[in-house]
Amino acid sequence: MSDTVAETTVSELVAEVARLREEVAAARGLARRAADRGEIENLFSRYMYLHNAFEDEQIIPLWVKEGTEGIRARYTNAGQYTTYESVIRYHQGRPNPVGKLILHATTTPVIEVAADGETAKGVWLMAGTESGLTDPVVAKDSPDFMYSAGEVQGKKVWAHWVWCKYAIDFLRQDGEWKIWKFRCYELARAPFEENWVSFGEKNQDAFDLDLMYFGDDGKPVFMPPADEPVPSENHPYSPSTVQTLEPAPPVPHDTFTDTFK
């Protein structure tokens, strides 16, 4: 074998090794992104399972750790929470009233992990039910259209269909994905006996209230004071409005951009 042929062969081998290294690196990156996506989907599904079971204290470790810059949560138009203490307060002391049922089922996720692997974005749709019993004395402070006819165990019944959207930013922290920025958009709701169109006409101001949930005997529990006003409002379905693409599903991106404001 001549020196020229040998040099060509070595050169080809070097090029082949370089190509294989690139392919291995690309495959590793693809596998990592696929694993990240699965971990993120499991994280939010775990959040929802715990929330449905009124085990909110177990949700706290799913959030970024105290002191993390940029933490944020927003549930209504009444304001948003931008400190660890105010965000976590939502999950502390949540009651589990007798007769109350919440079943939020999330679906249709679009999840994009940033190319740098440090952050990720996800959107979900949710269809579910919310129901419980309210002491008649407490019920007097709420509109009659929120309740069903008749009583069960001497209490007023509220049983609602509910639909929401979620937009969440995630941060990789100490090798694990954590919830970093959280936004809930209520899309529509309706009592079991009524359609969402006629109810939507009545219910336009509900999302402006700082109601957190209904506690024991159906007593309303209000959100803690917000840290700052919302930069834009969300309103549930109304027969007088058109639908918009909000939140927009995330697209492939290199690094974090704050799109779910």
Side-chain angles (χ1 to χ4, degrees):
M1 180 182 296
S2 68
D3 291 343
T4 301
V5 172
E7 288 174 2
T8 301
T9 302
V10 170
S11 177
E12 290 175 346
L13 287 173
V14 170
E16 179 67 8
V17 169
R19 185 185 66 80
L20 290 173
R21 284 176 174 171
E22 289 178 358
E23 288 187 0
V24 169
R28 284 177 173 170
L30 183 62
R32 181 65 263 171
R33 288 195 298 275
D36 286 339
R37 190 192 185 285
E39 290 170 11
I40 289 165
E41 189 163 6
N42 279 352
L43 172 62
F44 188 53
S45 294
R46 185 170 291 109
Y47 172 103
M48 200 55 68
Y49 271 101
L50 293 169
H51 185 70
N52 287 341
F54 304 92
E55 294 289 345
D56 276 46
E57 294 282 348
Q58 295 188 54
I59 290 176
I60 295 175
L62 306 184
W63 277 89
V64 292
K65 60 188 176 184
E66 186 173 1
T68 302
E69 185 178 351
I71 189 173
R72 185 173 71 220
R74 178 174 166 189
Y75 306 98
T76 71
N77 292 333
Q80 61 183 4
Y81 302 89
T82 57
T83 69
Y84 179 85
E85 293 76 13
S86 62
V87 167
I88 295 307
R89 200 176 301 133
Y90 180 83
H91 303 294
Q92 294 173 323
R94 182 166 173 244
N96 185 1
V98 174
K100 187 172 182 179
L101 171 67
I102 287 184
L103 182 60
H104 293 170
T106 51
T107 183
T108 326
V110 178
I111 301 167
E112 292 285 353
V113 180
D116 63 11
E118 297 302 316
T119 63
K121 291 180 171 292
V123 297
W124 282 261
L125 299 178
M126 183 276 280
T129 56
E130 297 178 352
S131 59
L133 302 172
T134 301
D135 186 283
V137 175
V138 176
K140 291 179 180 178
D141 295 328
S142 300
D144 288 339
F145 62 75
M146 298 292 292
Y147 296 97
S148 301
E151 295 184 352
V152 172
Q153 299 178 3
K155 295 184 178 182
K156 298 283 289 184
V157 175
W158 60 279
H160 293 179
W161 305 115
V162 60
W163 299 268
C164 292
K165 299 177 287 186
Y166 293 94
I168 304 174
D169 287 301
F170 301 88
L171 182 67
R172 191 195 299 277
Q173 203 165 63
D174 300 326
E176 295 184 354
W177 287 105
K178 299 291 183 178
I179 298 169
W180 184 27
K181 303 177 189 290
F182 185 105
R183 184 172 176 188
C184 174
Y185 307 69
E186 183 164 310
L187 178 59
R189 73 167 55 233
F192 178 80
E193 300 85 358
E194 185 175 359
N195 67 78
W196 53 88
V197 179
S198 60
F199 189 77
E201 185 83 348
K202 308 170 187 174
N203 198 43
Q204 280 304 292
D205 295 330
F207 208 66
D208 295 333
L209 303 176
D210 56 352
L211 178 68
M212 184 157 51
Y213 45 70
F214 290 105
D216 295 325
D217 283 334
K219 293 179 180 178
V221 179
F222 294 96
M223 300 284 289
D227 297 313
E228 61 186 43
V230 296
S232 62
E233 293 188 351
N234 168 71
H235 291 280
Y237 166 78
S238 162
S240 302
T241 60
V242 297
Q243 295 302 295
T244 60
L245 184 62
E246 188 181 9
V251 297
H253 55 285
D254 293 330
T255 189
F256 173 74
T257 302
D258 198 355
T259 58
F260 298 148
K261 295 183 180 180

